[in-house]
Amino acid sequence: MDLNLLWFLLIGVLMTGYAILDGFDLGVGILHLTVKDDTDRRLQLNSIGPLWDGNEVWLVTFGGALFAAFPETYATIFEAFYIPFMLLLFALIFRAVSIEFRSKQKLSLWRHFWDFCFSASSALATFLFGVAVGISMIGIPLNERFIFTGNIFHLLHPYALCVGVLAVAVFAMHGSIYLYLKTEGELQKHARRNFWRAFFFFLAMYLVVSIFTLVSVPRAIENFTNYPWLWIVVILNILAVANIPRAMSQGRPLYAFISSCCTIAAFVFLFSTALYPNLVTSSVDEKMNSLNIYNASSTPLTLTIMTVIAVIGMPIVLLYTAIVYWTFRGKVVLDEHSY
Amino acid sequence: MDFDVVFLSRLQFALTIMFHYLFPPLTIGLGALIVIYETLYLKTRDQLWKSANVFWIKLFAVTFAVGVATGIVMEFEFGTNWANYSRFVGDVFGSALAAEGIFAFFLESGFLAVLVFGRDRVGKKFYYFAAWMVFIGSVFSSVWIVVANSWQQTPNGSLIQQMTNPATGEPWFIDGIPQMRAQMQNFWQVVFNPSSIDRITHVWAGCAVTGGFFVLSICSWYILRNKHLEFAQRCFKVALIFSLLGILGSVLTGDSNARMVAQQQPAKLAAMEGIYKTGDGPTPIHLFGIPNSETGEVDYSIEIPGALSILVYREFPPKTPVIGLDQFKPENHPPVFIPFTSFHIMVGLGFALLGLIIIAFFFWWRRTLFQQRWLMYLFVVSILAAITANELGWVSAEVGRQPWIVYPPMQRTEAGEPLRDADGIIQFQQAEWPTESGSVNLKPAGLRTRDGHSQAVVQGEVLFSIVMFGLIYTLLFFVWIFVLNEKIRKGPAPASEAATAPEGFLRTAGEHAHDSMTSMREGDQDEEGNEDEDNNKKDSSS
């Protein structure tokens, strides 16, 4: 395995980490308005209170790693997705400050405003992530210098919009299981009801997007003919999806949550497989104008340095992520330090 | 003025980074003070320090949240608005950004959670450790981001090279233009480039000043209102010493920065000091003036003769002239007005703050510090000066490097002097820009700002985002001020009340004894103190 492939995998790991971790707190945000009571809303908010910020760092680090390892890709994607990424930024900013500001005032107008912002921005951010994934699957027009030659309408492909909706469904389901784990009593029952709604919504979107992919993005399964063992991941994915409702109905929410994490990991894996060896596929001339892990990468020296940084850094990161999650384990309760 | 994509992108970057830069220096400086107060708490077991920190950490958390939310914008903008720049610098710059994520952000955000939510969940020692980790994380973050920026000011450890065409494996040309990028040669030379250390230490000093004056400002307001006196006076004194160190550090590192800039980016220094023409004799410092680029003079100037030569060359009596803009080609001149004005106001504000601290120490020595109401009023508004100085320092550094986004280093003679051509024009290091026919052109080894923007982005898109940022940041700013103001109005919980917060088995008998003493002291307080206690009870139930 060369460094380029290694960094393709590491970027995938960062993306998986982000999707799993920020996935549940975005999901909590998407479901936030389904409870009406102020204390319940505070409980929901505080279930992710100490964690969401650290979860979002996975995105920042994903961005930094993409910039360092595949600068051409970073530049191309960001300038191509200008408007969606600006909207994503606005959503992330609003989300961060709604969480922080929401409980600082008792005025119900104030709280309703920030509750709405929190939920809307969580849903919008998730949707846009999904759209970005969807567009990457179908490809964008790139010229010989790998520069985007399309416009905003290239980004509004129905397939991409469907993937966006799928992302909202996945995170809503993921978040509802998380809430079920963290809450008690009536609120937990509510989370359970939300879970079933989100799950069936997800199942429907999963089928729609799978069929849509086979029809519109034939290159997505090219690698499966080259590497038949990849089918194992598909099977594992289906098993993980199937295990979620099973574990929930058996009253084992932790298994359901782990299955949901596995489902998300499998999605990222399948997405990466569909792209490989490309990072951004050109819809104009797929062979010549696509950015792949070789023509988009930094020099071997930079990749080596980055590998050293990752080898030193990642274990430490995982260590204190574990410490923080351990510190805030158990059911969420409100105390004087809560939001 | 031409409102093209480059201009709009620059405007957008300037707005977003200046807004962002309100927050990190505050959190880094305040983070250091929180560590100090927490140390005092552990050493003395005095509940007052604990309740003080509960209060400061609340303000810290709100500020930190806005800082993080606005910081992610910068990372996006490198790609969205400055894609060509990203292509050019990615091999070098990207690793610093990734290192910031891995080494700093995870540390900061993880332990911030412990700091904000974990007071009652973890032991004292671990809590103390978390305070250190948050502080160290924020310092690491400043290191990597200033290193990355410094490499753009004084590139080292990298070479500008032509890329190979991925399709053919040949040197890459598009429409006859070679595709060039900076490539890493030596990581440690990139990290310790000629300006890294000077710039990072100056930034740290600025952070200490901002954090220190933030605390001084709030404490002096309480003292004026006759509220939370014990808390305010004690925090004030610690912050005063801290700010003194910060401002002395600013002066020292400012001086070494100026000499570094004179060495490495003389055009920037010329802009900051308004030196249009290299004189024959020693160069003065303009204490005041309005640079006039039409005439090449500084109008209405008040000068100290020879002072700049003394500062830059350490010679007395001064005789060597400092390099002026006339020694650079016109197309390499930075704009003068903005760097000159911002630099001078920054220095002026810095010395004003130093003066304020010296006066405060004088009255402290006379034991009448907290009776000087006029002085307390000055301290209340002083935070604005500290923040403004920080912002303007950043502005003069960034505008002073124009028209370059990656500054080309100077060519030097063997003696280390700048190399000049026959007309006395200073020569930048050259990179080889091959032509398709095989001959080689030489161009300065940097990247012009106007060559760094995104080609795929149109005016309307940038304009849209500027308007959105403008609206959102205005809203954010007022909400931040509002929430901060609410917290300050409520003030810290009295030490006795903070002590009644559940602490489980960690609470020692010694603290019990201490609590009863502090609560006896609280009993002596005036009516306002009791009112605050009520407020606090309401607060904790909300």
Side-chain angles (χ1 to χ4, degrees):
Chain A
M1 185 163 62
D2 58 12
L3 283 172
N4 298 59
L5 180 56
L6 175 71
W7 272 96
F8 181 69
L9 292 177
L10 285 176
I11 298 269
V13 168
L14 287 170
M15 197 177 183
T16 311
Y18 176 70
I20 288 177
L21 295 178
D22 215 25
F24 72 73
D25 67 56
L26 283 163
V28 170
I30 293 168
L31 300 171
H32 187 63
L33 294 180
T34 62
V35 296
K36 302 280 179 246
D37 178 62
D38 186 60
T39 311
D40 285 349
R41 284 187 176 179
R42 276 192 74 204
L43 279 166
Q44 291 208 356
L45 208 55
N46 281 290
S47 73
I48 60 166
L51 307 173
W52 71 270
D53 187 29
N55 294 343
E56 208 169 285
V57 172
W58 287 81
L59 177 68
V60 180
T61 307
F62 167 80
L66 187 66
F67 193 179
F70 303 107
E72 292 277 339
T73 311
Y74 184 83
T76 297
I77 294 181
F78 276 68
E79 72 175 325
F81 295 179
Y82 193 90
I83 295 289
F85 277 14
M86 284 297 155
L87 291 175
L88 177 62
L89 270 181
F90 302 143
L92 292 177
I93 294 174
F94 257 109
R95 187 164 183 273
V97 296
S98 349
I99 296 173
E100 189 58 43
F101 290 151
R102 188 236 175 232
S103 300
K104 298 289 188 277
Q105 275 294 313
K106 280 202 153 163
L107 205 66
S108 70
L109 190 66
W110 171 277
R111 292 194 166 186
H112 284 132
F113 173 74
W114 291 115
D115 280 335
F116 173 76
C117 284
F118 173 52
S119 195
S121 56
S122 301
L124 178 64
T126 308
F127 177 71
L128 290 169
F129 283 130
V131 169
V133 166
I135 304 166
S136 308
M137 291 283 283
I138 41 180
I140 50 175
L142 299 183
N143 66 16
E144 53 177 350
R145 184 59 188 91
F146 310 124
I147 290 172
F148 179 62
T149 53
N151 56 42
I152 182 81
F153 298 106
H154 284 104
L155 309 180
L156 293 172
H157 195 286
Y159 175 75
L161 301 181
C162 275
V163 180
V165 177
L166 173 66
V168 174
V170 174
F171 284 1
M173 173 191 72
H174 194 48
S176 68
I177 308 175
Y178 177 78
L179 279 174
Y180 185 85
L181 278 169
K182 294 294 278 188
T183 54
E184 301 165 296
E186 274 305 307
L187 191 56
Q188 193 181 30
K189 282 187 190 142
H190 180 82
R192 194 188 174 84
R193 283 195 295 278
N194 268 341
F195 163 76
W196 286 108
R197 284 181 205 139
F199 178 75
F200 286 116
F201 179 38
F202 156 70
L203 210 58
M205 285 315 296
Y206 182 39
L207 287 175
V208 169
V209 170
S210 299
I211 295 166
F212 209 153
T213 309
L214 295 175
V215 174
S216 305
V217 200
R219 76 175 297 280
I221 51 165
E222 263 173 35
N223 279 321
F224 288 89
T225 24
N226 303 338
Y227 310 99
W229 59 268
L230 288 170
W231 286 106
I232 297 172
V233 180
V234 179
I235 294 164
L236 288 177
N237 187 15
I238 293 169
L239 287 177
V241 171
N243 195 44
I244 298 170
R246 181 172 159 269
M248 273 306 264
S249 50
Q250 284 181 350
R252 294 160 136 180
L254 189 61
Y255 287 122
F257 189 70
I258 293 169
S259 302
S260 164
C261 292
C262 292
T263 305
I264 292 173
F267 281 151
V268 178
F269 190 88
L270 292 175
F271 168 59
S272 314
T273 311
L275 289 183
Y276 181 83
N278 289 348
L279 291 156
V280 190
T281 307
S282 170
S283 57
V284 179
D285 183 342
E286 198 192 308
K287 285 281 167 295
M288 298 299 284
N289 296 354
S290 293
L291 280 166
N292 62 46
I293 63 172
Y294 297 101
N295 65 21
S297 82
S298 287
T299 55
L301 176 64
T302 297
L303 291 179
T304 310
I305 291 162
M306 292 274 298
T307 308
V308 174
I309 291 176
V311 166
I312 300 172
M314 282 317 283
I316 311 180
V317 167
L318 293 177
L319 177 72
Y320 40 66
T321 305
I323 292 177
V324 172
Y325 273 77
W326 177 252
T327 304
F328 296 101
R329 69 192 180 278
K331 301 285 181 191
V332 57
V333 283
L334 297 178
D335 63 26
E336 58 168 331
H337 304 300
S338 299
Y339 282 127
Chain B
M1 203 167 286
D2 191 10
F3 286 73
D4 58 1
V5 173
V6 180
F7 175 80
L8 290 173
S9 293
R10 287 183 62 191
L11 182 68
Q12 183 193 48
F13 201 82
L15 285 176
T16 49
I17 200 154
M18 284 180 73
F19 187 73
H20 172 62
Y21 202 56
L22 291 172
F23 307 100
L26 204 52
T27 44
I28 295 173
L30 192 57
L33 274 165
I34 285 170
V35 167
I36 295 174
Y37 292 139
E38 199 64 31
T39 309
L40 288 169
Y41 168 56
L42 280 190
K43 286 253 180 227
T44 63
R45 295 288 171 121
D46 187 336
Q47 291 298 325
L48 186 133
W49 292 123
K50 181 178 170 183
S51 72
N53 251 359
V54 170
F55 175 70
W56 295 122
I57 287 170
K58 274 186 196 161
L59 300 189
F60 180 92
V62 176
T63 309
F64 187 89
V66 189
V68 170
T70 54
I72 196 172
V73 174
M74 296 9 284
E75 193 191 25
F76 270 63
E77 281 176 343
F78 294 139
T80 52
N81 290 63
W82 301 98
N84 276 0
Y85 152 86
S86 295
R87 292 187 177 95
F88 187 85
V89 302
D91 193 50
V92 184
F93 187 91
S95 46
L97 217 58
E100 189 190 17
I102 285 198
F103 291 133
F105 287 157
F106 277 114
L107 194 63
E108 248 178 322
S109 59
F111 287 101
L112 181 70
V114 177
L115 209 58
V116 175
F117 301 99
R119 188 61 101 165
D120 303 329
R121 280 182 171 255
V122 299
K124 280 200 180 70
K125 294 246 170 73
F126 185 70
Y127 193 79
Y128 182 60
F129 175 72
W132 267 105
M133 288 302 114
V134 171
F135 170 61
I136 290 174
S138 65
V139 169
F140 277 173
S141 157
S142 69
V143 169
W144 287 108
I145 213 65
V146 177
V147 158
N149 184 283
S150 297
W151 173 80
Q152 290 168 224
Q153 309 269 353
T154 55
N156 199 15
S158 57
L159 276 182
I160 295 174
Q161 283 173 342
Q162 188 177 13
M163 302 171 74
T164 38
N165 186 337
T168 61
E170 308 267 297
W172 199 2
F173 292 94
I174 287 175
D175 299 334
I177 301 165
Q179 303 300 302
M180 312 284 284
R181 71 168 172 182
Q183 294 189 356
M184 177 110 68
Q185 303 295 313
N186 183 323
F187 181 68
W188 294 112
Q189 281 180 13
V190 169
V191 173
F192 294 102
N193 67 71
S195 63
S196 292
I197 302 282
D198 281 321
R199 299 182 82 241
I200 189 71
T201 47
H202 196 54
V203 165
W204 285 343
C207 295
V209 172
T210 320
F213 274 93
F214 182 70
V215 171
L216 291 174
S217 166
I218 293 169
C219 290
S220 48
W221 189 74
Y222 286 143
I223 291 163
L224 283 169
R225 298 286 305 270
N226 212 18
K227 285 164 99 175
H228 317 293
L229 279 183
E230 170 104 25
F231 157 86
Q233 294 184 357
R234 285 217 241 159
C235 287
F236 188 98
K237 285 176 183 168
V238 175
L240 189 66
I241 298 169
F242 184 74
S243 304
L244 175 71
L245 296 177
I247 206 110
L248 291 178
S250 299
V251 174
L252 284 176
T253 55
D255 171 66
S256 70
N257 255 283
R259 282 190 296 138
M260 178 275 295
V261 173
Q263 269 287 315
Q264 305 290 339
Q265 297 172 291
K268 186 198 273 191
L269 186 74
M272 294 197 306
E273 289 288 359
I275 316 163
Y276 288 98
K277 297 179 196 73
T278 315
D280 299 325
T283 312
I285 277 183
H286 300 287
L287 287 184
F288 175 84
I290 298 168
N292 184 337
S293 291
E294 304 270 298
T295 60
E297 304 279 342
V298 176
D299 299 338
Y300 313 106
S301 90
I302 306 169
E303 315 179 337
I304 310 178
L308 193 61
S309 292
I310 297 177
L311 283 179
V312 169
Y313 301 114
R314 289 284 189 270
E315 51 179 27
F316 203 87
K319 47 187 186 296
T320 319
V322 175
I323 294 169
L325 287 178
D326 56 346
Q327 298 200 5
F328 293 89
K329 284 184 188 161
E331 73 258 29
N332 295 333
H333 285 194
V336 178
F337 184 79
I338 295 177
F340 180 93
T341 316
S342 52
F343 177 70
H344 279 75
I345 298 177
M346 172 191 76
V347 174
L349 289 174
F351 279 103
L353 292 177
L354 177 62
L356 196 60
I357 288 179
I358 292 172
I359 296 170
F361 270 102
F362 172 75
F363 286 112
W364 188 357
W365 173 66
R366 295 275 299 269
R367 294 175 186 277
T368 57
L369 173 59
F370 299 119
Q371 281 124 52
Q372 312 299 328
R373 293 187 69 83
W374 61 276
L375 188 62
M376 293 295 117
Y377 276 115
L378 283 178
F379 270 109
V380 171
V381 295
S382 63
I383 178 63
L384 298 177
I387 287 177
T388 312
N390 249 305
E391 290 280 347
L392 293 180
W394 196 253
V395 168
S396 55
E398 295 303 286
V399 180
R401 78 167 143 157
Q402 297 301 328
W404 301 97
I405 199 166
V406 179
Y407 208 88
M410 292 189 304
Q411 284 192 54
R412 292 178 192 279
T413 62
E414 282 187 10
E417 291 295 307
L419 185 74
R420 294 179 173 85
D421 69 1
D423 301 326
I425 300 293
I426 289 179
Q427 301 296 299
F428 287 126
Q429 279 182 24
Q430 310 279 308
E432 291 183 358
W433 294 70
T435 61
E436 216 155 359
S437 62
S439 62
V440 168
N441 282 336
L442 292 174
K443 279 189 178 180
L447 180 70
R448 285 184 187 276
T449 305
R450 65 159 189 265
D451 295 330
H453 74 94
S454 299
Q455 281 165 281
V457 173
V458 294
Q459 253 174 323
E461 292 177 314
V462 189
L463 206 56
F464 160 78
S465 60
I466 292 180
V467 172
M468 289 295 279
F469 277 124
L471 291 174
I472 288 176
Y473 281 7
T474 311
L475 173 74
L476 257 188
F477 183 74
F478 283 108
V479 173
W480 177 65
I481 293 286
F482 173 72
V483 170
L484 221 54
N485 182 49
E486 286 292 294
K487 295 217 163 293
I488 295 169
R489 216 169 48 78
K490 276 178 190 154
S496 57
E497 187 163 306
T500 56
E503 261 193 275
F505 58 89
L506 283 169
R507 226 165 128 199
T508 59
E511 279 177 24
H512 277 292
H514 196 95
D515 291 349
S516 47
M517 277 163 67
T518 35
S519 50
M520 274 161 68
R521 251 206 324 265
E522 290 298 336
D524 296 337
Q525 277 207 347
D526 54 2
E527 281 177 19
E528 256 183 61
N530 293 329
E531 193 186 300
D532 281 325
E533 216 165 303
D534 292 339
N535 276 341
N536 277 304
K537 277 182 193 129
K538 268 183 253 157
D539 184 29
S540 58
S541 63
S542 65

